[in-house]
Amino acid sequence: MSARGVMGARWGARGTHAALAIWYAAAVLFLFAPIFAAIVYSFNLGVVNKQTATITGWTLQWYPAAWNDLSLRRSVESSLIVAFWSALISVLVGAALGYAIVRHPLARARAVLAALTYILLIVPESVIGVSLLLFYAETGIPLSTATLVAGITPMAIAVVALIVRARVLTLERRVEEAAADLGSSRAKTLWFIVLPQLAPALAAGVIMAYTFSFDNLVVSAFLTTPQINTLPVYLYGSLQYGPSPAVYAAASVVFVFTLSMLGVAALIYRLARRPQSAD
Amino acid sequence: MTTPSRSSLSARSADHVVAAIPAAWLAVFFLAPLGFTVVFSFARSVFGGVELAFTFENYRTALTGFNGATFLRTIIFAVSASALCLAAAYPVAYFLARHTGRRRAIAVVLILVPYFSSFLIRIMALHMLMSRGGFAETVLNALYLHGGPLDVLDTQTAVFIGMVYAYLPIAIVPLFVVLDRIPKPLLEASRDLGASPLKTFVFVTLPLSRPGVATAVLLTVVPMLGEMVIPRLLGGSKGVLMGQAISSQFLQSQNYALGAAMAVLVLLAVGVMVVLLARLTKGFAEIGQ
């Protein structure tokens, strides 16, 4: 290849790299733009207590306003409660599912559970939402916090199951066999040998499940009642008469909260993983 | 040798308990409700309720006139928005897999962080950005890409932008995973045999990334088929898609039977997508292991 050809190829590669980098940067900017916008609008004065697209001035008043808004506060409270129970149930059920998909002794059981997880991921949320509404209405079960929690668990379970499954795939089966050879019952092995090894995946899973449950809108929209109104459903409802700027203040707080939770999850996962990769 | 068989028996029972917990929970709170929907989709809607029957009347109503048009529009919309998402995601995933070097983890996290923050609030803020007098208008005017007020809200374009926005990260992830796993020696071999970078991409990278493409399409097209929040917030009355139509049958019209039939149609559409995409990845089971 001539010198010019090599130079040309190098310039071509550089051009491709630059173009891809620009595309990536544009994507990140696009993805973050609404988040920054929400934070900026939380300081926007607005016009007569209404949010406006144009920035009319700066104020800090929406943060105390959000704090003092009773219905907003109640919706945050119920969101926290619902997400707590959903995360707790999802991590238990999801961990069992993720483990059984990999380690169940019967191939057919593994296949059925894997298919079930797959189906969980591909049924649109709105279909699950209306199905649950129909289910509760026709079985005569009154809507409550419990029905809402049960309704939003399937998706969180799928997320936990995938995380746990990925972790179980990296575990040495021989460790479990050694425990069995040393006389440990299967239940004891699961509890004392498998569970501790799954800890980082469970921690990551519980936080992911919490985040998803806290944020759930579509299924919740069908299952909430005036008494149990979660934050996303409350915000969704409030959009009809134009969101109060206080909404963005609450949203900004939730953003910071969610991101720090995810940061903690990532940290736990990495810290717990490190010693294992060392040996 | 009774001990091993006894221990294997107890081994099984513990494993069965572990499998039974999720199976039972999901049977009650996931499969049973879906079953109700399927059963009710054949029921007859009567004044103030639903009467169990076996009729295709709901499907006929759901597939004709306004409802049929909505169903068709939803499918076209979901497929094209998903394709656009894929086109936008592929270069990003390619960049992440091949060009980020040591900063890769941060580069990936930057894509994922927005996805994990509140969906509704991001769409609400997107609404603000796109409305008259918002940031998008200011930026487009400053760049001379658009003159005067921006009237994109309450159009199908707005819904399109919203869909691509919301599902871009989950299109990027599977593509990134697959591109990352393509063995480097294959690319080197292609180069050594004299193929240009473009040829290597078209004949080596692109075909090998098919499973990622299929997963990306699946993960975006499925939620798009049922999406009800984005069309309502960004599309106003012009963007009604299936998700919204179904929800209004349940929440406003109280026609559970028709709503159930429409939900089953969405599930069928999802099923067709899964089958088509599975064909795309045929023979790929061994890749990436």
Side-chain angles (χ1 to χ4, degrees):
Chain A
M1 205 183 262
S2 69
R4 184 176 284 180
V6 171
M7 287 283 283
R10 191 167 293 162
W11 278 111
R14 246 182 226 175
T16 315
H17 179 80
L20 287 170
I22 290 170
W23 190 256
Y24 168 80
V28 170
L29 207 65
F30 180 47
L31 291 173
F32 271 95
I35 296 180
F36 288 134
I39 295 172
V40 168
Y41 281 120
S42 76
F43 298 109
N44 180 21
L45 202 53
V47 175
V48 265
N49 282 339
K50 280 271 176 265
Q51 188 53 269
T52 50
T54 326
I55 302 290
T56 54
W58 303 105
T59 176
L60 282 173
Q61 75 191 70
W62 304 122
Y63 284 85
W67 180 253
N68 291 325
D69 184 334
L70 269 185
S71 33
L72 194 61
R73 241 163 95 172
R74 274 191 56 194
S75 71
V76 172
E77 271 164 33
S78 33
S79 274
L80 290 170
I81 294 168
V82 166
F84 170 80
W85 287 111
S86 168
L88 190 70
I89 294 168
S90 304
V91 83
L92 294 174
V93 180
L97 182 59
Y99 182 80
I101 288 174
V102 184
R103 287 282 207 267
H104 196 277
L106 302 174
R108 178 169 291 177
R110 290 197 301 268
V112 168
L113 292 173
L116 192 58
T117 314
Y118 194 62
I119 294 172
L120 283 176
L121 291 172
I122 62 166
V123 174
E125 264 194 274
S126 49
V127 174
I128 300 180
V130 294
S131 298
L132 284 164
L133 180 64
L134 185 66
F135 177 67
Y136 291 140
E138 294 301 322
T139 51
I141 303 170
L143 294 182
S144 65
T145 307
T147 55
L148 177 58
V149 169
I152 62 177
T153 51
M155 280 145 298
I157 287 171
V159 172
V160 175
L162 288 181
I163 297 173
V164 170
R165 175 186 163 274
R167 177 78 182 152
V168 175
L169 282 173
T170 68
L171 296 183
E172 290 268 5
R173 191 192 284 267
R174 277 174 296 176
V175 177
E176 289 164 53
E177 286 164 2
D181 289 346
L182 292 171
S184 160
S185 74
R186 186 74 178 129
K188 261 190 175 164
T189 307
L190 288 177
W191 185 258
F192 290 107
I193 307 294
V194 175
L195 207 59
Q197 296 190 82
L198 292 182
L202 295 180
V206 81
I207 292 177
M208 293 273 268
Y210 192 92
T211 311
F212 276 126
S213 305
F214 189 88
D215 194 35
N216 183 279
L217 168 61
V218 176
V219 170
S220 309
F222 292 103
L223 301 180
T224 46
T225 63
Q227 283 77 43
I228 326 135
N229 211 348
T230 61
L231 181 65
V233 177
Y234 172 76
L235 294 182
Y236 192 54
S238 80
L239 290 177
Q240 265 151 353
Y241 25 87
S244 143
V247 159
Y248 289 97
S252 303
V253 175
V254 172
F255 273 140
V256 174
F257 178 71
T258 312
L259 292 187
S260 23
M261 290 277 281
L262 289 169
V264 170
L267 210 65
I268 292 174
Y269 197 72
R270 288 190 79 167
L271 286 179
R273 253 184 136 175
R274 204 160 281 166
Q276 231 118 26
S277 59
D279 58 36
Chain B
M1 289 297 277
T2 47
T3 329
S5 75
R6 261 199 61 202
S7 85
S8 82
L9 195 72
S10 77
R12 287 222 165 150
S13 69
D15 277 309
H16 287 321
V17 171
V18 167
I21 296 168
W25 182 269
L26 293 172
V28 174
F29 293 111
F30 180 70
L31 294 178
L34 285 183
F36 267 67
T37 298
V38 174
V39 169
F40 274 79
S41 71
F42 295 106
R44 194 173 289 120
S45 211
V46 293
F47 184 74
V50 187
E51 189 182 272
L52 284 183
F54 189 76
T55 165
F56 287 96
E57 199 50 45
N58 305 310
Y59 286 97
R60 191 176 309 153
T61 318
L63 284 169
T64 51
F66 178 73
N67 294 322
T70 306
F71 184 48
L72 200 65
R73 188 170 60 238
T74 305
I75 291 177
I76 295 170
F77 213 96
V79 170
S80 44
S82 172
L84 193 65
C85 224
L86 189 73
Y90 204 103
V92 177
Y94 190 87
F95 178 76
L96 289 173
R98 300 271 171 82
H99 290 265
T100 44
R102 278 186 303 139
R103 298 204 196 93
R104 168 186 283 191
I106 295 170
V108 174
V109 165
L110 279 179
I111 295 289
L112 286 180
V113 159
Y115 185 68
F116 287 113
S117 31
S118 171
F119 167 80
L120 175 65
I121 292 163
R122 282 182 297 137
I123 300 300
M124 278 165 57
L126 201 59
H127 180 276
M128 293 299 276
L129 283 176
M130 291 201 287
S131 50
R132 274 179 172 229
F135 282 126
E137 185 183 301
T138 316
V139 171
L140 289 178
N141 278 326
L143 295 173
Y144 296 103
L145 288 171
H146 181 86
L150 188 67
D151 280 316
V152 69
L153 270 189
D154 296 335
T155 63
Q156 301 237 2
T157 316
V159 182
F160 227 83
I161 295 172
M163 294 270 204
V164 173
Y165 172 78
Y167 297 109
L168 189 58
I170 46 171
I172 292 173
V173 171
L175 288 170
F176 164 69
V177 170
V178 163
L179 287 172
D180 188 42
R181 283 181 181 172
I182 293 177
K184 285 270 150 62
L186 280 180
L187 305 173
E188 284 155 16
S190 166
R191 201 185 55 198
D192 292 347
L193 292 170
S196 67
L198 183 67
K199 264 196 171 159
T200 303
F201 175 75
V202 172
F203 293 106
V204 180
T205 305
L206 201 57
L208 284 176
S209 65
R210 258 159 50 200
V213 171
T215 312
V217 171
L218 188 71
L219 289 179
T220 52
V221 86
V222 165
M224 282 174 183
L225 281 171
E227 184 58 56
M228 51 182 252
V229 175
I230 297 171
R232 197 193 129 189
L233 291 189
L234 302 180
S237 57
K238 290 192 196 70
V240 175
L241 297 180
M242 260 334 236
Q244 240 178 320
I246 294 169
S247 115
S248 80
Q249 288 304 329
F250 276 88
L251 298 178
Q252 275 101 48
S253 321
Q254 303 279 335
N255 191 341
Y256 286 9
L258 178 57
M262 290 160 83
V264 172
L265 285 179
V266 169
L267 286 181
L268 286 176
V270 168
V272 170
M273 301 284 176
V274 170
V275 171
L276 289 177
L277 292 169
R279 295 190 66 163
L280 188 67
T281 54
K282 232 179 185 176
F284 261 98
E286 69 281 0
I287 282 289
Q289 281 171 9

